Amino acid sequence: MIELKHLRTLQALRNTGSLAAAAAQLHQTQSALSHQFSDLEQRLGFRLFVRKSQPLRFTPQGDILLQLAEQVLPQIQQALQACHEPHQTTLRVAIECHSCIQWLTPALDKFRQSWPQVVMDFKSGVTFDPQPALQQGELDVVLTSDILARSGLFYSPMFDYEVRLVLATDHPLAQVEQISPEDLADEVLMIYPVQRQRLDIWRHFLQPAGVSPALKSVDNTLLMIQMVSARMGIAALPHWVVESFEKQGLVVTRTLGDGLWSRLYAAVREGEQRQPVLEAFIRFARQHACEHLPFVRDAALPGAVLQR
């Protein structure tokens, strides 16, 4: 029955002291404002102010509603202002790709410029399994190359990247432009401490050829590169991991077969893929990778979004 316009009108009447002045302040005619009060008083069943009083006096009922206006209107104004102001929020991100943080960190600069209110919280670790944590609501987005079937997660393609063989500069295979599975049979392949079935080089290159080189787990990327440089083994990594080391002449990279490619996805919970913050994060990360990383190609093609 009482509307916000009525409360604002009561305030204007109190502030100006007359119906004519209140009408001018509210950009209405005096007759329109008088009609509004008469209609409201008729519906309420009591008078709000004493007409033709000098100075204008409110009735006891009018004073009660005026106090209500003084309490409610500032709260409404604050609430509306808060609705238009950016709020700080936390985006919880996990990375299954151990080396992704190397290219993702600079990719976040443009994202922060557009979303300064978003605080990034990164979770990682060689023993951390992020996709179940995403399902349980502990994370907001996971960068992964693995798709869990019937998981309730939505996988948005980020980009395709080439997995390159990493060798010491004086390794015999450094003279071979295209590496075959048999070339690796007697090598020590250094890998992150994950199940070998999760490794692209194992699933799509070595296993189909029946080749099983010795495997050595290394949980630190820099240590892995140093060991490769020292001829203690070889590795298979995205090129962005070793680009700076290759430029320094510490290691070289070679193509595995006709090219071993993998796809990186941004996984979110089904139904949340259209949230503006998540969309923006994925868009900025994808754009930076496709524009700045070597041996990378855009996976965001029409119809490329994959959902499982």
Side-chain angles (χ1 to χ4, degrees), residues 173 179-189 196-197 200-215 234 256:
L173 291 178
I179 306 296
S180 70
E182 290 73 21
D183 291 330
L184 307 184
D186 299 324
E187 300 290 335
V188 175
L189 177 64
R196 62 183 183 179
Q197 285 299 328
D200 292 307
I201 188 172
W202 178 264
R203 287 184 299 173
H204 305 301
F205 189 70
L206 296 172
Q207 190 177 36
V211 175
S212 300
L215 303 179
I234 61 175
L256 289 163

Side-chain angles (χ1 to χ4, degrees), residues 118-129:
V118 177
V119 177
M120 306 298 299
D121 181 16
F122 286 96
K123 298 182 181 296
S124 62
V126 294
T127 61
F128 179 54
D129 194 3

Side-chain angles (χ1 to χ4, degrees), residues 74-211:
Q75 294 178 7
I76 292 176
Q77 181 60 33
Q78 292 174 6
L80 291 176
Q81 183 177 354
C83 288
H84 292 286
E85 291 179 350
H87 289 272
Q88 179 172 301
T89 184
T90 299
L91 187 62
R92 302 164 299 172
V93 182
I95 306 172
E96 283 191 344
C97 172
H98 296 77
S99 57
C100 282
I101 193 66
Q102 294 178 251
W103 64 263
L104 184 60
T105 300
L108 296 176
D109 290 340
K110 289 186 177 180
F111 174 75
R112 290 195 187 99
Q113 293 174 14
S114 298
W115 296 82
Q117 72 276 23
V118 177
V119 177
M120 306 298 299
D121 181 16
F122 286 96
K123 298 182 181 296
S124 62
V126 294
T127 61
F128 179 54
D129 194 3
Q131 293 202 53
L134 176 63
Q135 292 172 305
Q136 296 165 14
E138 300 172 11
L139 297 170
D140 300 305
V141 59
V142 173
L143 299 184
T144 179
S145 293
D146 297 327
I147 293 179
L148 301 181
R150 297 179 297 279
S151 61
L153 301 180
F154 183 94
Y155 294 83
S156 179
M158 295 286 286
F159 55 83
D160 295 331
Y161 61 92
E162 185 179 358
V163 178
R164 306 274 294 175
L165 185 67
V166 187
L167 305 158
T169 56
D170 59 348
H171 193 289
L173 291 178
Q175 307 305 316
V176 181
E177 288 300 320
Q178 195 173 50
I179 306 296
S180 70
E182 290 73 21
D183 291 330
L184 307 184
D186 299 324
E187 300 290 335
V188 175
L189 177 64
M190 288 184 288
I191 63 172
Y192 292 115
V194 298
Q195 294 177 351
R196 62 183 183 179
Q197 285 299 328
R198 295 182 59 186
L199 301 172
D200 292 307
I201 188 172
W202 178 264
R203 287 184 299 173
H204 305 301
F205 189 70
L206 296 172
Q207 190 177 36
V211 175

